[in-house]
Amino acid sequence: MTEQSPALDNLLTESRTFPPSEDFAAQANAKADLYAEADADREAFWAKQAERLTWDTKWTTVLDWTNAPFAKWFVGGKLNVAYNCVDRHVESGHGDQVAIHWVGEPGDTRDITYAELKTEVSKAANALTSLGVGASDVVAIQLQMVPEAIFAMLACARIGALHNVVFGGFSPTALRARVDDAAAKVVITSDGQFRRGKAAPMKANVDEALEGAETVEKVIVVKRTGDQLEGDVPWTDGRDLWWHELVDGQSEEHTPEAFDSEHPLFILYTSGTTGKPKGILHTSGGYLTQTAYTHHNVFDHKPGEDVYWCTADIGWITGHSYIVYGPLANRVTQVVYEGTPNTPHEGRHWEIIQKYKVSLYYTAPTLIRTFMKWGAEIPEKYDLSSLRVLGSVGEPINPEAWIWYRETIGAGRTPIVDTWWQTETGAIMISPLPGVTSTKPGSAQKALPGISAKVVDDQGNEVGPGGGGYLVLDKPWPSMLRGVWGDEERFKDTYWSRFKDQGFYFAGDGAKYDNDGDVWLLGRVDDVMNVSGHRISTTEVESALVSHPTVAEAAVVGATDPTTGQGIVAFVILRGNAVDGGEEAIQALRNHVAKEIGPIAKPRQIMVVPELPKTRSGKIMRRLLRDVAENRQVGDVTTLADSSVMDLISSGLKSGKSEE
Ligand code: PRX
């Protein structure tokens, strides 16, 4: 198990509960009987949820689990995912409903109705087809939060191509690895992006990434920053095309083709315990069923009435499942915001909520803690009375932040849904139901109706009330990952081998039951860090560090951080001939990691040490390094090959070699 921080210990003694108001409960989409309904017949329950969608051909079998862990859901069914997210809403008479209130960072806005969304997605689908992109081809997308990102994803879905969205903050090296692994045929990006009031280049980085990339035939470039970007946009004739030149002239008509329920929808790369990111594969029918079901019930979304805002980036799974697929399948009206929360001022989110009367707001604990730091007087200046459900995702939310969120943003009135899930699960798995659950600050509480999760011990036996252990999912679910792209063995090893005998999916998280049987998430138990709700593997950062010529060895740990959840702390041994750990050398190392992976992986702190603590078999004892990183008394050192190492490290640090 990972070390528990004092905050996690506190949360285990948390006993406040917040039942929904009678009014809220009475009007809620999900009532208490949903649990019993699902328990009575899980497959019938999921079949009913799948009826939310429009199928071209109905399925014959709800679930085929005979070839576990490779699931098939809604076998024999056919549907078009983009049709479900767009066209059917126009056909049912809601073409004039706003789908997206888009807000650009500089203050420009664009309201896109479902009819307009249909036109844009159809044109983009025709454009991709004109480039020879067909079903099962892969399109990589590295775009900031502009409407074209959503058009592009839906256009891929419409023609049966897989998208592979790469977060805009990832470095050229990281982009290239994801383009190569998925053999992407087309890359979609922009000239530049606005970031904290400045135009920064995007296309230049993409070009650097694609140098010599063999699979990429075309690069489509959305013009976003235009003249505001310094210098020319690098251009390769014959390969590069402007989005507006390619897409604008296309026909607005496009007939969506129905694809098999198990047709691949997208790949999204996520960090694992090794240096190489995993391409998580999701398919169509089951994924859309569960994202739509959870969005409807967890956020209590009422189409045509609510205004929803999920603040995630489409580069992450939350953006895929809770900006694009689930919400649009449910005919949402939603805000999509391009920029950072403090541009041009720290009240930007509250100003947007006030302007669009946002009623459902979904964000991450790291941002809530940042808002707390900025001060309650900022949101207090705005009218937030439209809010009726608040959501949290990405990491355990500490009770202080939870209470602040409810009191300051939700006026002490709104239910908070703390939603636990993963890139791999595709959709929310453990969460309160806002009209049913008496919520507890810091607990994700119970698996949703239709979902089964357990906390088990080392042997896979379920622990009792008050007991802690590993979180597993013991029954297949519709939006589960269908594999790791191109690596069947890694899929089985990573998720299904830890509790092979029982056939459990191992989530990688530690968890605990309280005396009511509610689940409290305790963070990762493997070598994966959670920085601002983003998964970064220790090995990935270590590999980046040792790829620098001055570094001989590196060990990386996630240390508790009051704002980002965890911060990356690296311990490095420099090569004999390297300059000794001065400010500049350390800054160069931090920049090197940013270049290799992306700025999100930049270590908060790098400590130069003479040795690393290792067991006799050579395994680095991260537990001890975490003690150092969190300024704790160093724990038991008896299993170290050389127990004096920790003294060496501590004395080295006292001599002032730590950074920042
Ligand atoms: O450790 C858990 C944490 O985030 C991990 C999944 O990360 P990712 O695939 O990037 O997806 C993030 C968005 C779904 C989990 O293994 N996590 C996510 N949500 C919560 C959480 N930990 C505690 N509480 C949550 N609500």
Side-chain angles (χ1 to χ4, degrees), residues 87-383:
D87 305 43
R88 65 173 179 151
H89 307 318
V90 179
E91 288 171 13
S92 66
H94 299 96
D96 291 339
Q97 181 184 325
V98 172
I100 298 170
H101 290 296
W102 180 75
V103 182
E105 191 184 89
D108 47 340
T109 60
R110 190 173 165 191
D111 285 345
I112 301 158
T113 64
Y114 274 98
E116 287 162 346
L117 186 61
K118 178 170 177 267
T119 305
E120 295 299 336
V121 174
S122 298
K123 286 194 298 186
N126 284 323
L128 288 174
T129 308
S130 77
L131 299 180
V133 177
S136 303
D137 282 336
V138 176
V139 175
I141 301 175
Q142 189 173 43
L143 274 175
Q144 67 276 38
M145 296 296 286
V146 287
E148 288 80 0
I150 297 172
F151 304 158
M153 290 166 77
L154 290 168
C156 289
R158 199 171 179 96
I159 62 171
L162 289 74
H163 52 72
N164 167 14
V165 181
V166 180
F167 176 58
F170 274 133
S171 70
T173 315
L175 171 62
R176 176 60 177 275
R178 286 157 177 78
V179 163
D180 281 352
D181 190 69
K185 198 165 169 179
V186 167
V187 178
I188 306 180
T189 187
S190 64
D191 52 352
Q193 62 175 327
F194 293 110
R195 223 55 201 159
R196 297 182 205 284
K198 284 200 212 85
M202 283 276 272
K203 174 63 164 51
N205 293 344
V206 170
D207 275 21
E208 188 185 330
L210 297 185
E211 210 168 301
E214 283 176 4
T215 59
V216 176
E217 295 169 14
K218 297 285 176 199
V219 177
I220 307 174
V221 188
V222 174
K223 191 178 251 179
R224 174 60 185 138
T225 46
D227 296 344
Q228 297 188 50
L229 192 67
E230 265 178 47
D232 290 335
V233 177
W235 207 257
T236 304
D237 287 328
R239 184 195 69 177
D240 299 350
L241 301 154
W242 284 109
W243 173 284
H244 58 275
E245 287 178 5
L246 172 71
V247 174
D248 286 358
Q250 298 288 337
S251 160
E252 295 180 1
E253 300 302 318
H254 182 274
T255 310
E257 185 187 335
F259 293 99
D260 195 275
S261 177
E262 283 299 332
H263 186 78
L265 183 61
F266 65 84
I267 312 168
L268 182 62
Y269 284 81
T270 186
S271 292
T273 51
T274 70
K276 189 171 177 268
K278 298 175 286 218
I280 302 300
L281 174 67
H282 283 288
T283 61
S284 305
Y287 173 81
L288 197 61
T289 296
Q290 195 177 327
T291 52
Y293 156 73
T294 49
H295 176 259
H296 177 76
N297 289 300
V298 173
F299 300 107
D300 195 46
H301 170 253
K302 309 280 195 289
E305 295 172 29
D306 278 308
V307 178
Y308 166 83
W309 183 13
C310 165
T311 70
D313 189 283
I314 49 131
W316 311 112
I317 191 68
T318 309
H320 285 58
S321 301
Y322 295 104
I323 294 176
V324 182
Y325 293 110
L328 291 174
N330 288 338
R331 186 162 55 80
V332 79
T333 293
Q334 71 178 322
V335 167
V336 173
Y337 173 52
E338 179 184 38
T340 46
N342 52 352
T343 309
H345 58 80
E346 291 169 346
R348 191 73 194 263
H349 276 212
W350 321 124
E351 181 181 76
I352 292 174
I353 289 174
Q354 172 177 288
K355 174 172 176 192
Y356 292 102
K357 299 195 168 34
V358 171
S359 51
L360 317 173
Y361 178 73
Y362 190 27
T363 194
T366 183
L367 199 55
I368 299 166
R369 290 191 294 265
T370 304
F371 291 142
M372 284 172 77
K373 236 175 18 195
W374 290 345
E377 60 283 5
I378 297 173
E380 277 162 6
K381 282 192 248 159
Y382 297 87
D383 177 7

Side-chain angles (χ1 to χ4, degrees), residues 545 548-554 571-582 585-586 589 606-612 657:
L545 284 166
H548 192 272
T550 62
V551 176
E553 260 195 276
F571 295 81
V572 297
I573 304 178
L574 295 178
R575 284 179 192 279
N577 58 359
V579 272
D580 201 16
I586 283 177
L589 286 181
I606 294 183
M607 309 195 192
V608 177
V609 292
E611 283 298 339
L612 289 172
K657 283 177 189 162

Side-chain angles (χ1 to χ4, degrees), residues 270 316-318 392-397 418-424 444 507-509 521 523-524 530 533-535:
T270 186
W316 311 112
I317 191 68
T318 309
S392 171
V393 62
E395 58 174 308
I397 175 166
D418 174 3
T419 63
W420 178 90
W421 58 293
Q422 307 179 294
T423 305
E424 293 87 342
D509 282 6
L521 275 310
R524 305 286 306 186
N530 189 328
H534 302 312
R535 269 160 70 171

Side-chain angles (χ1 to χ4, degrees), residues 24 298-300 359-361 387-391 414-417 434:
F24 191 101
V298 173
F299 300 107
D300 195 46
S359 51
L360 317 173
Y361 178 73
L387 289 169
R388 58 181 206 94
V389 178
L390 300 175
T414 51
I416 293 186
V417 287

